[in-house]
Amino acid sequence: MGKMQIDDTEISVISISKEDYISLTDMVRKLENGLSLIEKWLRNKNTLEFLGIWEEMYNSEFNTAEYHMIMGEAGLNRFVMSVKQWVNRTNSKGIVAKAGRYGGTYAHRDIAFEFASWVSPQFKLYLVKEFQRLKEQEQRQLGWSAKRELAKINYRIHTDAIKQNLVPPLLTSQQISYIYANEADVLNVALFGMTAKEWREKDPGRKGNIRDYASINELICLSNMENINAVLIHDGYEQKERLIKLNRIAIQQMTILEEQNAGKRLE
């Protein structure tokens, strides 16, 4: 996820074994004696009980015997506990200490939310809300990336169909490349109303290609059209016939997709 911004505090989030870990160090960095709060929290017997339950639920390598020894020591005036001691003695996975540029104490989101609640219930609510917002944003981005990857896969199917059915033998690699580009532009013209070259000439300063600027609906439509075009090529349709058919399909599919989006916005 990267970073969360709560008021004027930037909090790092990293992924460990596909789980989200939030920086406790960042949470308290701007508080007076902030870093000492983490160790003070760790010395709390209720905290240790919560951590032990979490580790026993999710960490098969947790040192339960050592944990019970720590619980026996907790509450005594001489009892001290640091993140390093906790990790080394119990083989904890819920809390980790990271070195380097983005170093500090990180905790699994379950534990980080518990720590935030101990620091300030209000801060915890803001933290949970921002975390949920970023997760939703991340899911939307993953959805867009998945559709982009689907378009790439279908493009490979599409180009393979061109190679098998449109490319005569003994052509030069330059001629083959030209046929591929030409076929890609059949889809570009059918969906976007212009070739890749026309799109570049329209705004020479833009980077990337026409498909990089496509909407989610356009990528869905493009993915479908690539499959349909591959079938039409296999069935022997001339390029002009395919362009007309694909344009009609693009208009029909985009109309349906846009109507669905409009309906969701009204809801």
Side-chain angles (χ1 to χ4, degrees):
M1 287 176 68
K3 300 282 185 181
M4 289 189 289
Q5 191 74 33
I6 301 175
D7 291 331
D8 60 345
T9 302
E10 191 176 72
I11 301 171
S12 299
V13 183
I14 61 174
S15 180
I16 300 176
S17 301
K18 297 183 179 180
E19 293 287 337
D20 294 310
Y21 279 68
I22 302 172
S23 173
L24 305 188
T25 304
D26 287 346
M27 285 189 204
V28 298
R29 193 183 300 279
K30 293 190 177 182
L31 299 179
E32 186 177 354
N33 300 318
L35 295 180
S36 65
L37 288 176
I38 298 174
E39 292 191 2
K40 184 177 179 181
W41 174 68
L42 267 177
R43 291 197 297 270
N44 185 291
K45 197 160 188 172
N46 290 332
T47 297
L48 294 171
E49 184 179 19
F50 173 82
L51 294 177
I53 293 170
W54 189 94
E55 294 289 347
E56 287 174 343
M57 286 178 65
Y58 300 108
N59 180 7
S60 61
E61 298 175 3
F62 183 59
N63 190 331
T64 305
E66 190 66 26
Y67 165 67
H68 288 303
M69 288 182 62
I70 292 172
M71 288 298 289
E73 300 166 10
L76 298 175
N77 291 336
R78 64 176 180 273
F79 177 68
V80 293
M81 180 60 61
S82 67
V83 173
K84 185 176 181 181
Q85 287 174 315
W86 171 254
V87 172
N88 288 343
R89 289 181 64 177
T90 68
N91 195 32
S92 162
K93 290 185 179 179
I95 298 179
V96 296
K98 302 286 288 184
R101 183 180 175 186
Y102 300 103
T105 299
Y106 287 81
H108 186 277
R109 62 179 181 274
D110 297 343
I111 298 169
F113 293 153
E114 186 73 12
F115 175 70
S117 184
W118 182 82
V119 172
S120 162
Q122 184 182 29
F123 180 74
K124 177 192 175 179
L125 290 173
Y126 285 131
L127 181 70
V128 171
K129 184 178 180 180
E130 178 63 7
F131 182 84
Q132 289 173 339
R133 187 189 70 79
L134 288 180
K135 291 301 287 184
E136 289 171 3
Q137 186 181 66
E138 185 181 73
Q139 290 303 314
R140 285 196 297 271
Q141 181 61 35
L142 284 173
W144 188 93
S145 298
K147 289 181 176 68
R148 178 66 171 155
E149 288 304 311
L150 179 61
K152 289 180 180 177
I153 292 167
N154 283 329
Y155 183 72
R156 175 62 187 273
I157 295 171
H158 176 227
T159 54
D160 282 352
I162 295 167
K163 184 176 180 180
Q164 293 170 18
N165 298 282
L166 291 188
V167 182
L170 303 177
L171 289 180
T172 65
S173 59
Q174 185 177 3
Q175 287 172 314
I176 294 171
S177 297
Y178 171 76
I179 291 172
Y180 282 166
N182 194 25
E183 276 304 313
D185 271 337
V186 169
L187 298 180
N188 289 336
V189 172
L191 179 59
F192 303 112
M194 66 184 77
T195 66
K197 182 181 179 183
E198 287 170 339
W199 181 86
R200 287 192 300 270
E201 290 173 347
K202 193 174 179 181
D203 188 354
R206 269 189 301 198
K207 295 182 179 179
N209 61 64
I210 191 170
R211 300 183 185 198
D212 290 328
Y213 291 81
S215 68
I216 294 293
N217 283 348
E218 286 172 332
L219 287 175
I220 293 170
C221 185
L222 180 64
S223 174
N224 294 335
M225 288 169 59
E226 284 175 335
N227 282 326
I228 293 167
N229 195 34
V231 173
L232 294 176
I233 290 169
H234 185 268
D235 288 347
Y237 282 87
E238 294 293 329
Q239 189 177 88
K240 183 178 177 181
E241 292 177 284
R242 286 187 282 106
L243 178 58
I244 294 169
K245 286 180 178 291
L246 290 168
N247 181 243
R248 288 173 180 168
I249 291 167
I251 292 170
Q252 180 188 33
Q253 292 197 3
M254 287 300 296
T255 300
I256 293 170
L257 290 168
E258 292 299 324
E259 284 176 352
Q260 285 180 337
N261 280 1
K264 288 178 181 178
R265 287 194 291 271
L266 287 173
E267 289 172 7

